[in-house]
Amino acid sequence: GIYGAFGIHPLHAHDWDDEVEKKLLAMMTMQKVVAWGECGLDYFDKKTRGQVKDPKLRGLQRKVFAKQMDLAVSLKKPLVVHTRFAEEDTLELMEKHLPTEHPVHVHCFTSSNTLAQALLERFSSLRLGFTGVVTFKNAPEVQEV
């Protein structure tokens, strides 16, 4: 069968409002909806190939990620997390908003071994997902994990 997970991706955090929240909450009641997400933080700046510095954008993503974590926990739904160029903020917010036993899947993991170890040590039901990026010659940090 086909199952679903619904949430607001960090690059669409600007779309979050009461109506979107209401629609997502309604979808969470559907029998085949098994998780909340993907949600999280994405500070990758396509122009500079570095980290987004805009505090307004980062603040909005943080707010929407925190809200979605709180909702997932209240509904007892596993969480699908996206994190890119946002290791410190991701860990900080997850530690603040998630019980240590809450089920989490950090999908398409491309962050450091340091973040991987911190997450795995903190959250007993956390899993990391990898894509073909793990085979890239320019991805030694991901291979280290």
Side-chain angles (χ1 to χ4, degrees), residues 42-62 84-89:
D42 191 325
Y43 296 166
F44 181 69
D45 186 330
K46 290 180 183 177
K47 292 177 186 170
T48 66
R49 313 273 320 148
Q51 193 177 57
V52 168
K53 303 296 184 204
D54 180 359
K56 186 176 178 182
L57 175 65
R58 291 168 71 135
L60 176 63
Q61 285 190 16
R62 287 174 57 93
R84 188 173 185 203
F85 278 62
E87 292 189 11
E88 290 179 14
D89 286 3

Side-chain angles (χ1 to χ4, degrees), residues 15-119:
D15 291 329
W16 185 270
D17 61 20
D18 291 343
E19 188 62 30
V20 168
E21 181 178 329
K22 185 177 171 182
K23 287 178 182 178
L24 286 169
L25 287 169
M27 286 190 281
M28 291 298 143
T29 67
M30 298 167 69
Q31 184 178 1
K32 289 191 170 189
V33 175
V34 297
W36 190 293
E38 124 189 32
C39 60
L41 302 174
D42 191 325
Y43 296 166
F44 181 69
D45 186 330
K46 290 180 183 177
K47 292 177 186 170
T48 66
R49 313 273 320 148
Q51 193 177 57
V52 168
K53 303 296 184 204
D54 180 359
K56 186 176 178 182
L57 175 65
R58 291 168 71 135
L60 176 63
Q61 285 190 16
R62 287 174 57 93
K63 177 182 163 194
V64 173
F65 183 33
K67 180 66 174 178
Q68 291 184 90
M69 285 189 284
D70 291 344
L71 290 168
V73 169
S74 72
L75 297 171
K76 296 181 173 56
K77 290 283 187 185
L79 190 69
V80 180
V81 173
H82 172 99
T83 182
R84 188 173 185 203
F85 278 62
E87 292 189 11
E88 290 179 14
D89 286 3
T90 298
L91 183 59
E92 173 199 334
L93 289 172
M94 288 176 67
E95 288 178 339
K96 183 176 180 182
H97 292 273
L98 295 176
T100 58
E101 70 283 353
H102 195 81
V104 179
H105 172 72
V106 183
H107 87 106
C108 191
F109 191 83
T110 57
S111 297
S112 70
N113 189 43
T114 302
L115 179 62
Q117 294 307 315
L119 290 170

Side-chain angles (χ1 to χ4, degrees), residues 8 116 138:
I8 295 294
N138 65 346

